[in-house]
Amino acid sequence: MSGTNWMSSKSEFAQPPVDLRTDIPHSARVYDYLIGGKTNYAPDRAAGDASALAYPSLPISMKQTRIFMHRVTRYLAREHGIRQFLDIGTGIPTQPNLHEVAQEAAPEARVVYVDNDPIVLTHARHLMTSTSEGRTEYIDADIRNVDSILGAQQLHEVLDLKQPVALSLIAIMHFVLDEDDPQGIVRRLMSELAPGSFLALTIFTGDSNPEGVAGVGREYNERGIPLQIRDKAETERFFEGLDLIDPGITLVHHWRPDERDASEGVRDADVSMYGGVALKRD
């Protein structure tokens, strides 16, 4: 990067005390633990250990999903000239974050992060660094309340929705249950974006390892983390009305692998996430 730029003042992050409920597992902290992070507590580690016992490849799958995000971001910035990214379901900051990948390819890239997890909010400043040419911002909002995202002042200060935007929904939609109309949420978000925008999305699936993934679903749900597993047909519904980019919907380690990947030797049974990227033409 050519430099860093803190886009928000300290007062903007002056938040009332937040109860992080460290006595119960949290999806963001379980993920952080399983990919080797340090922002987690005993209940998170217990949930992660139980899930990995049911499906030992879960940490591999999670890491491959993050590599997919990196690869997609580079691809959209370099091959399609995308300079605006809306990342919902950001999670605990883990380098490189999306804006770091995007701004490595295009220093002027602008990124808005969205999450509603209290633990992520406490770390939001790590998402607020930017090249001097670009900009980043963080919105504390729930994906199930689309109006709170689309109506946020920070969104419109950073992104011009009349120009193409990449909507990044990585490892988030399995926490949106069918009763909350996840496909409808995606359609609503994409409807507000200009032609030439892209959707990058992953879906947690049991197609590649039914027994192991079912065990993960059981462990999460029994610990109070609602999670829904979906098959390929259900995944395809998220992309209706959009033009899928080759190779279409595939397990994430098969999506345009490149020389920067760490996926050599990864088996399909090790990966439980479908991924796809699609273009909005009009």
Side-chain angles (χ1 to χ4, degrees):
M1 287 190 184
S2 60
T4 58
N5 182 18
W6 297 94
M7 299 308 302
S8 294
S9 66
K10 185 176 180 180
S11 62
E12 289 181 76
F13 280 92
Q15 299 288 332
V18 177
D19 183 1
L20 298 180
R21 293 301 308 275
T22 59
D23 58 321
I24 59 175
H26 192 289
S27 59
R29 297 192 299 248
V30 175
Y31 173 86
D32 177 77
Y33 169 63
L34 287 171
I35 65 170
K38 298 179 180 179
T39 308
N40 49 75
Y41 300 89
D44 310 305
R45 295 189 284 273
D49 288 340
S51 298
L53 182 63
Y55 179 36
S57 295
L58 182 59
I60 296 174
S61 182
M62 288 178 166
K63 290 175 182 177
Q64 288 300 315
T65 301
R66 190 156 188 89
I67 290 170
F68 168 82
M69 181 272 285
H70 297 161
R71 198 160 59 241
V72 167
T73 301
R74 287 196 302 268
Y75 169 78
L76 292 176
R78 292 175 176 173
E79 302 299 324
H80 292 276
I82 296 297
R83 298 295 183 264
Q84 302 190 111
F85 295 82
L86 175 57
D87 181 59
I88 304 178
T90 300
I92 295 169
T94 303
Q95 290 187 322
N97 294 294
L98 187 150
H99 74 278
E100 294 167 315
V101 177
Q103 292 179 346
E104 179 185 18
E108 70 274 26
R110 301 163 76 86
V111 178
V112 171
Y113 291 107
V114 181
D115 211 304
N116 74 322
D117 293 341
I119 189 69
V120 179
L121 179 61
T122 66
H123 291 272
R125 182 171 292 282
H126 296 291
L127 301 171
M128 303 299 293
T129 59
S130 173
T131 57
S132 57
E133 302 96 322
R135 185 170 177 184
T136 65
E137 185 57 87
Y138 179 85
I139 300 172
D140 181 30
D142 190 327
I143 190 173
R144 289 165 295 191
N145 185 352
V146 176
D147 288 340
S148 69
I149 299 172
L150 295 175
Q153 179 180 349
Q154 303 100 305
L155 177 69
H156 298 281
E157 288 178 349
V158 177
L159 303 183
D160 178 1
L161 301 190
K162 295 180 181 178
Q163 299 298 320
V165 175
L167 173 62
S168 180
L169 300 174
I170 307 300
I172 178 64
M173 298 311 294
H174 47 271
F175 297 118
V176 182
L177 306 183
D178 281 349
E179 63 197 58
D180 293 312
D181 188 18
Q183 291 88 1
I185 289 172
V186 174
R187 285 194 301 270
R188 172 77 193 288
L189 288 165
M190 290 301 298
S191 73
E192 297 297 319
L193 304 183
S197 293
F198 286 86
L199 169 66
L201 177 144
T202 67
I203 293 295
F204 191 49
T205 184
D207 287 358
S208 56
N209 195 318
E211 183 177 352
V213 171
V216 175
R218 180 181 63 252
E219 295 297 341
Y220 270 62
N221 281 288
E222 287 181 354
R223 285 170 167 78
I225 306 175
L227 180 149
Q228 185 159 349
I229 301 162
R230 297 183 170 99
D231 60 22
K232 192 167 187 179
E234 291 171 294
T235 303
E236 290 170 347
R237 291 182 55 203
F238 286 93
F239 293 95
E240 289 178 356
L242 304 173
D243 292 351
L244 279 163
I245 301 297
D246 185 66
I249 298 168
T250 184
L251 294 174
V252 290
H253 64 305
H254 290 312
W255 197 93
R256 294 178 174 262
D258 60 33
E259 70 281 357
R260 298 178 65 167
D261 279 343
S263 57
E264 185 176 351
V266 174
R267 306 169 304 156
D268 286 0
D270 294 329
V271 178
S272 56
M273 196 76 75
Y274 282 129
V277 179
L279 168 67
K280 176 182 177 179
R281 290 201 179 273
D282 49 43

